[in-house]
Amino acid sequence: MKSWYRLWQYEFSLLFRGTMLLAIGAVVTPLLFLHAEMGKDYAEIRRYEHLFAESGALASLLVYFVALLALFLKSIYSGYWGGKSMYAMLTLPVRRESLYLGKLAAFAVSMLVFWAASVLGIWLGFGLLDDRVLHATNGIGVPANGMFLAVIRSDYLRLIIPYGLQGLLSTISIGTAVTTGIYYGVLCERSKRYWGLFLVAGSLFLVIRVLIYRIGLPHPYLTDFNLNASSVALLIFVLWFAGHSIRLMRRGAIV
């Protein structure tokens, strides 16, 4: 366990600076967009979820999330660049699955930090709107449960802040499928198991379908979409990605 913790600490140190910069951006940038949007006329009578999307704050979170995934990719491939630390890591006197799980845990912590920063940015943004409404209505303000109502009304906010067990399972399955899928795709490319990339593409296709359904975009083939079944399918992908990745690590096929 002590060896695994040191591996995790090393892997997370590679991600720490980039993760913190993206987390700070996920808090500050939406507030800047919202502040600019609230300077327009009648901003105080618009619903928060509409204001958040129309201001560009939602788009900024999406950009930062893509940047976080790019940071994951860079941290994996950096082991094959320069001093090629991946070769040295495989010679350490630890079980090779610990190498995989240490990096995967570092990814998971970075994802959680970014998610927490996104939720904080959304919550602070609602505070900005509440303050504007207080001034515009002579202290009446918005309902005390206004943030809760915004989440209930908004499909995309329920994706970031899940409501109910079904939504929570779906969000977790999406996050884990994306994280393990990226890592698995790189390991398949490094080990020349290119057929594994088709599985990554399949999981990505399913993730996109789930997002289309949950965000509420019109799609003629998703009227009877089963969210629970899609979550189970994504978790099956996760189990395969993790299991086969560990197998590749044990064989040393990734070098």
Side-chain angles (χ1 to χ4, degrees), residues 141-163:
V142 296
N145 58 348
M147 181 66 190
F148 173 77
L149 293 175
V151 172
I152 294 299
R153 292 190 301 253
S154 171
D155 294 309
Y156 72 83
L157 283 182
R158 287 200 306 274
L159 182 63
I160 302 172
I161 309 174
Y163 176 73

Side-chain angles (χ1 to χ4, degrees), residues 102-116:
K103 186 177 285 291
L104 192 64
F107 289 173
V109 172
S110 294
M111 189 79 78
L112 287 173
V113 169
F114 179 79
W115 171 79

